Amino acid sequence: MPEYILTLDEGTTSTRAIIFDKNGNSVSVAQYEFTQIYPRPTFVEHDALEIYSSQVKSITDALKNADISPKSIKAIGITNQRETTVVWDKNTGIPVYNAIVWQCRRTADICEDLVKKGLSDYVTATTGLKIDAYFSATKIKWILDNVKGAREKAEKGDLLFGTIDTFLMWKLSNGKIHATDYTNASRTMLFDIHKLTWDKKLLDELSIPMSMLPCVYPSGHYFGDAEILGEKIPICGVAGDQQSALFGQKCYNAGDIKNTYGTGCFLLMNTGEKAAVSKNGLVTTLGATLDGEKQNYVLEGSVFIGGAVIQWLRDELCLIKSAKESESAARQVEDTAGVYIVPAFSGLGAPYWDMYATGTMVGLTRGSNKNHIIRAALESIAYQTNDLISAMKADSGIDITSLKADGGAARNSLLMQFQADISKLEVLVPSDSEATALGACFIAGITCGFFKDREHTLNLNGDYKSFKPQIKGAKREELLKGWQKAIKSTKVFSKGE
């Protein structure tokens, strides 16, 4: 009987189940979107139970569509949106509040208080992160402080915290697994990335009981069994989506770099066993490793609104009917005619770290049309990514000449070509652009013996499409100058100057 790896890919807007064969090829995919909840401006939430039910449905459909029995699944790998915070009652399995999404900015005031207390240097030195509402720590505190009875239950040991991977494992195992991996733990702003332990000082500062927190293991590890359609299947791989994509792109060596073009954009560089300290607004985080391996570190820059700007064009402005349509619409014009969009709908991430920034559109004239706006939205993704590339070059001292790209928006050839042009480097897009799910497959597969080792995976899914720079230097500088003016306009507006 053929064997397979089942990957659960839980993103910011949808859940997917992907079944991979021995060659690392997907043989079945099922996907379902779930509700985006915006109770107030800058507030973003998900219904964690809806995420779980949609994940179960996608698993069932992926197996059914390929006529594969659960008995044929060798192991499960999980990859997930990071930082998104779930707090639930361990006795009932019901969340005490909606999941607070990584994009949510409601805890900016809590972050400001931490900064005023002089904790910035300690947080960076310990967790590798910046104090920001992006991360999980202040989201947990907000729930405990604002949900009636939550703090009392937490102090009694009745509440559990987890990122989405943790909640899914807990539900799929009927409450037997309360765990996460180092990559997800490193995004909470509560985890010491050097000692690989939860940090008591930060927990005490935020009044978060240690009893809420999951056990933490390497990404490649036997976490326990999930119960799928009556079968017990081992969960052997867990990684936050960006570290999983780094693994799926086979960036196994120090200096390897990739960018995922998803809801946000996330540029990661493997720095090996050394935790690099950024002087240019990037953060240090943990990479995906396997049981028995030395921990490796990652330098990361995050763009909060990447592909989500295309969803905004579709859902809020109604300028396009599908994300795919954005490319054909943008090709109707030669350029943006001077229009720039800074999609700071959830503040600005690296290298700016402005929690209060809001979206801005500049350069409009009477001749500006919807295609100019669509193209400007696409180009904003490349501009933000280029800001990260510039910061990473400065921090690492490495002359980056190529970039591995993955994620849904990496299918947009106009965007990939513009990225190559504006960043003056070769962009390589794998034939299977879903490196995030593939990374979880590799991690789980190596751990359970489905794949022999990392070297084995180097020969799988190795085809890339190349995009090389085509514009002249003077034009590139002109475009980048306009982008910096747009960023300045955004920051001035957010500060009310």
Side-chain angles (χ1 to χ4, degrees), residues 1-8 17-22 27-28 58-64 66-78 225-229 231-236 441 444-445 448 450:
M1 181 185 295
E3 290 184 322
Y4 304 91
I5 297 293
L6 170 63
T7 294
L8 310 184
I18 307 98
I19 300 174
F20 290 93
D21 65 15
K22 282 278 190 178
V27 297
S28 183
S58 69
I59 293 169
T60 302
D61 287 358
L63 291 167
K64 181 180 178 181
D67 194 23
I68 292 173
S69 167
K71 293 181 180 180
S72 297
I73 302 300
K74 177 79 170 176
I76 293 172
I78 297 175
D225 293 336
E227 296 186 17
I228 306 292
L229 299 176
E231 293 292 328
K232 289 187 176 181
I233 304 174
I235 300 171
C236 292
C441 168
C448 74
F450 188 78

Side-chain angles (χ1 to χ4, degrees), residues 346-398:
S346 301
L348 284 171
Y352 306 104
W353 294 106
D354 186 340
M355 292 186 292
Y356 298 102
T358 54
T360 307
M361 189 186 305
V362 299
L364 293 170
T365 67
R366 180 63 182 83
S368 302
N369 62 43
K370 75 171 190 176
N371 294 326
H372 292 124
I373 292 171
I374 293 168
R375 186 166 185 131
L378 279 175
E379 291 186 359
S380 75
I381 301 172
Y383 282 123
Q384 292 177 96
T385 299
N386 185 66
D387 288 340
L388 301 181
I389 292 169
S390 298
M392 200 159 281
K393 284 180 179 179
D395 277 333
S396 68
I398 296 173

